[in-house]
Amino acid sequence: GNSVTQMEGPVTLSEEAFLTINCTYTATGYPSLFWYVQYPGEGLQLLLKATKADDKGSNKGFEATYRKETTSFHLEKGSVQVSDSAVYFCALTDLGNQFYFGTGTSLTVIP
Amino acid sequence: EAGVTQSPTHLIKTRGQQATLRCSPISGHTSVYWYQQALGLGLQFLLWYDEGEERNRGNFPPRFSGRQFPNYSSELNVNALELEDSALYLCASSLRPMTEAFFGQGTRLTVV
């Protein structure tokens, strides 16, 4: 079956540090991959997406590359800010019957 | 363009009562998804509607039900509320089935 596995949190970084949040997936077929971000007390916001192998999604300084050979979609940012503190969710859909979400990774950035 | 809107923002109910949550998708979106986000449990898939039909449901008891109206808005009904139903209920919509989904702010349901 389909599933998404994210690195366990919480993650605490200093401002301007490099961020990597690991995400690996299991899927039949050719899934589309997404990263969502949830700020405290809010719903999820779509951060970036990739729909086929080797695609790179990017937004607001965040990037993730769809790696079919390693079934991964790791989220990266070169220099995090305090405002990036949130929970990040990796997700996939294989155009089947539902989206599959990871358990979320909490990020705290300290000044 | 208006995003996905959910109402009410907060809802407090007593155990055994019924709760109705509403969702208006982005204009033109035909698919609506419902998720439960309980503390510490991540997002649990509840229901998916498309073109007025229920297309899939998650592993929840039948007291969780819903529908999608001709204008593609949706409501989620939870009957016989239990304390463990307390959670943030998130609605999302997409232009086509299982393409990028956009979420609302959620309804915080508290069962006392």
Side-chain angles (χ1 to χ4, degrees), chain A residues 80-97:
Chain A
V80 293
Q81 305 300 311
V82 172
S83 58
D84 294 327
S85 298
V87 180
Y88 293 82
F89 292 90
C90 185
L92 73 83
T93 175
D94 62 354
L95 303 183
N97 290 320

Side-chain angles (χ1 to χ4, degrees), chain A residues 3-104:
Chain A
S3 66
V4 175
T5 302
Q6 283 183 240
M7 65 184 286
E8 293 287 331
V11 174
T12 302
L13 294 174
S14 297
E15 203 165 24
E16 298 183 1
F18 185 86
L19 169 70
T20 300
I21 300 178
N22 290 337
C23 171
T24 57
Y25 67 89
T26 302
T28 54
Y30 301 93
S32 294
L33 302 173
F34 307 88
W35 276 101
Y36 284 86
V37 58
Q38 185 177 33
Y39 299 101
E42 299 185 8
L44 275 68
Q45 298 178 23
L46 179 63
L47 184 58
L48 53 83
K49 67 174 183 179
T51 58
K52 62 182 187 296
D54 300 324
D55 266 1
K56 176 186 283 188
S58 61
N59 186 25
K60 299 180 182 180
F62 291 90
E63 293 183 339
T65 301
Y66 188 163
R67 302 286 189 198
K68 190 165 179 63
E69 64 276 15
T70 55
T71 62
S72 65
F73 193 54
H74 305 321
L75 182 68
E76 297 181 336
K77 187 176 184 183
S79 176
V80 293
Q81 305 300 311
V82 172
S83 58
D84 294 327
S85 298
V87 180
Y88 293 82
F89 292 90
C90 185
L92 73 83
T93 175
D94 62 354
L95 303 183
N97 290 320
Q98 64 171 289
F99 284 84
Y100 296 84
F101 284 86
T103 53

